Amino acid sequence: VQLQASGGGLVQPGGSLRLSCSASGFSASGYALAWFRQAPGKEREGVACISSSNSATHYVDSVKGRFTISRDNAKNTWYLEMNTLKPEDTAVYYCASAGWCRWDVGGMDHWGKGTQVTVSS
């Protein structure tokens, strides 16, 4: 099983980025798919999750209205569209999968290695 996150980079405040997570070794269609992030000196936190059954989406309050999670089961890939980025969004972003949407780090089944997002002028 392998999850590969990509799409991170340096962006100015107010800018946008689109992260992708490509899965191999398992069918992501049967899993809830999530994005977490970890800023320096802080704990890893859940950002967004999309369920497997009805593609219901869930977001942490700090990103609601700015981030959008989506999935493409045919490509075994999910995405995080990030708009109106703020300096406090700076973190390493990780993709993960689980049986259902959840925010506890220990409950996730698979993890990607992470991609750095830096929001700075």
Side-chain angles (χ1 to χ4, degrees), residues 24-106:
S24 60
F26 77 109
S27 176
S29 63
Y31 287 81
L33 306 172
W35 289 95
F36 285 69
R37 67 185 179 187
Q38 188 166 17
K42 295 188 177 181
E43 294 186 351
R44 193 172 299 189
E45 65 167 351
V47 174
C49 186
I50 184 167
S51 69
S52 62
S53 55
N54 59 1
S55 291
T57 57
H58 309 272
Y59 300 94
V60 68
D61 285 347
S62 59
V63 308
K64 285 181 179 177
R66 299 189 297 122
F67 290 11
T68 302
I69 188 172
S70 60
R71 62 193 296 159
D72 186 336
N73 290 335
K75 295 183 178 180
N76 230 27
T77 300
W78 58 106
Y79 308 95
L80 185 68
E81 184 76 34
M82 305 185 294
N83 297 313
T84 319
L85 282 161
K86 304 175 181 180
E88 52 263 44
D89 295 317
T90 295
V92 177
Y93 283 71
Y94 299 88
C95 54
S97 64
W100 60 90
C101 278
R102 58 197 301 173
W103 297 129
D104 56 314
V105 172

